[in-house]
């Protein structure tokens, strides 16, 4: 069974630039999560999809972050414009029931 | 906001010793899960305990849940250097689909 795929693995951008992350969940998993993990902290939920609908985006900074999950499969997370404090690892996870399966994450550095 | 709070924040033990990590949470839950994260990697699911369960075992892992105290503990017996990682608890609150909220984690170091 293929795992959750994320790309790119690393990204370095300047502040005020835009960036996009891609996630391909495990086939058949209806729930998809995007988490932000700042160094030394636990993952913070940004947005949760159930198929292509949003379940929770209460902690998504909507003035600069956006996410979509077209056709209920792949998902993209975009930041525009980026700030220094957005430097973090962005984790995508998917689940069928309760257990979540995580990708390796995208490490974003904003300089 | 983060639901779970792990304690201690950091733990250093010798190989062969047992490691105990605790998690406290605030609201009602459907289940509580423990995950491991090796440095620079994604999280890996270890074990899930449902709100109507009190104890669960999986290999060298033992998890307990006390819903009256809103707390859980993870015990790793006979630890190995390969157990060195950060451990997170996540509370599952089901409202249509599972919402997973993570704590800040315990950084475990097992010295050979």
């Amino acid at each position: 069974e293929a795992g959750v795929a994320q790309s790119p693995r690393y990204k370095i951008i300047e502040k005020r630039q835009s960036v996009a992350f891609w996630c391909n969940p495990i086939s058949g998993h209806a729930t998809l999560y995007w988490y932000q993990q700042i160094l030394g902290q636990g993952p913070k939920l940004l947005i949760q999809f159930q198929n292509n609908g949003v379940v929770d985006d209460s902690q998504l900074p909507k003035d600069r972050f956006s996410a979509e999950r077209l056709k209920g499969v792949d998902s993209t997370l975009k930041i525009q414009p980026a700030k220094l404090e957005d430097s973090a690892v962005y984790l995508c996870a998917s689940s069928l029931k309760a257990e979540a399966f995580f990708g390796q994450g995208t490490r974003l550095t904003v300089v | 906001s983060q639901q779970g709070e792990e304690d201690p924040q950091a733990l250093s033990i010798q190989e062969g010793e047992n490691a105990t990590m605790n998690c406290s949470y605030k609201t009602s839950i459907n289940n509580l899960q423990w995950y491991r994260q090796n440095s620079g990697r994604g999280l890996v699911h270890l074990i899930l305990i449902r709100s109507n369960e009190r104890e669960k075992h999986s290999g060298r892992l033992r998890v307990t849940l006390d819903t009256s105290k809103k707390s859980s503990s993870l015990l790793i017996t006979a630890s190995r250097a390969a157990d060195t990682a950060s451990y997170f608890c996540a509370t599952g609150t089901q409202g249509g689909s599972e919402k997973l909220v993570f704590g800040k984690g315990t950084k475990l170091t097992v010295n050979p």
Side-chain angles (χ1 to χ4, degrees), chain B residues 6 21 35-36 46 74 76 83 85-89 105-106 108:
Chain B
E6 290 90 343
M21 289 159 269
Y35 288 78
R36 184 183 74 196
L46 294 176
L74 171 68
I76 304 174
D83 295 328
S86 290
Y87 292 81
F88 296 91
C89 68
T106 292
L108 173 66

Side-chain angles (χ1 to χ4, degrees), chain B residues 17-21 60-61 74-79 83 87 108:
Chain B
E17 294 181 339
N18 295 341
T20 300
M21 289 159 269
R60 294 185 295 113
L61 305 179
L74 171 68
L75 169 68
I76 304 174
T77 60
S79 63
D83 295 328
Y87 292 81
L108 173 66

Side-chain angles (χ1 to χ4, degrees), chain A residues 99-100 102, chain B residues 34-38 41-47:
Chain A
E99 175 186 352
F102 282 79
Chain B
W34 285 90
Y35 288 78
R36 184 183 74 196
Q37 185 177 38
N38 290 85
R41 309 291 295 272
L43 282 80
V44 175
H45 182 267
L46 294 176
I47 194 167

Side-chain angles (χ1 to χ4, degrees), chain A residues 75-96:
Chain A
S75 177
T76 56
L77 176 70
K78 297 179 182 177
I79 307 175
Q80 181 180 11
K83 294 185 176 181
L84 296 177
E85 59 260 37
D86 298 331
S87 294
V89 175
Y90 291 84
L91 296 164
C92 178
S94 69
S95 71
L96 181 61

Side-chain angles (χ1 to χ4, degrees), chain A residues 9 31 33 35 37 42-43 48 50 55-56 59 91 97-100 102-104, chain B residues 1-2 31 33 35 37 40-43 45 48 88 97-100 102-104:
Chain A
R9 284 296 312 276
T31 305
Y33 309 86
Y35 287 90
Q37 187 176 24
Q48 178 180 346
Q50 178 74 6
V55 174
D56 188 328
Q59 297 196 85
L91 296 164
K97 294 182 180 178
E99 175 186 352
F102 282 79
Q104 292 297 305
Chain B
S1 61
Q2 290 179 301
N31 62 70
Q33 304 177 38
Y35 288 78
Q37 185 177 38
R41 309 291 295 272
L43 282 80
H45 182 267
L48 177 152
F88 296 91
S97 70
E98 198 75 27
K99 179 176 178 178
L100 277 182
F102 284 84
K104 296 180 180 179

Side-chain angles (χ1 to χ4, degrees), chain A residues 4-47:
Chain A
V4 176
Q6 288 189 248
S7 68
R9 284 296 312 276
Y10 305 93
K11 190 75 177 179
I12 301 174
I13 61 172
E14 295 182 350
K15 59 184 179 183
R16 291 187 290 274
Q17 285 187 323
S18 62
V19 64
F21 312 126
W22 174 81
C23 174
N24 185 14
I26 293 173
S27 177
H29 282 194
T31 305
L32 186 147
Y33 309 86
W34 281 103
Y35 287 90
Q36 178 194 58
Q37 187 176 24
I38 292 172
L39 186 65
Q41 299 183 18
K44 170 187 163 186
L45 179 66
L46 292 176
I47 189 166

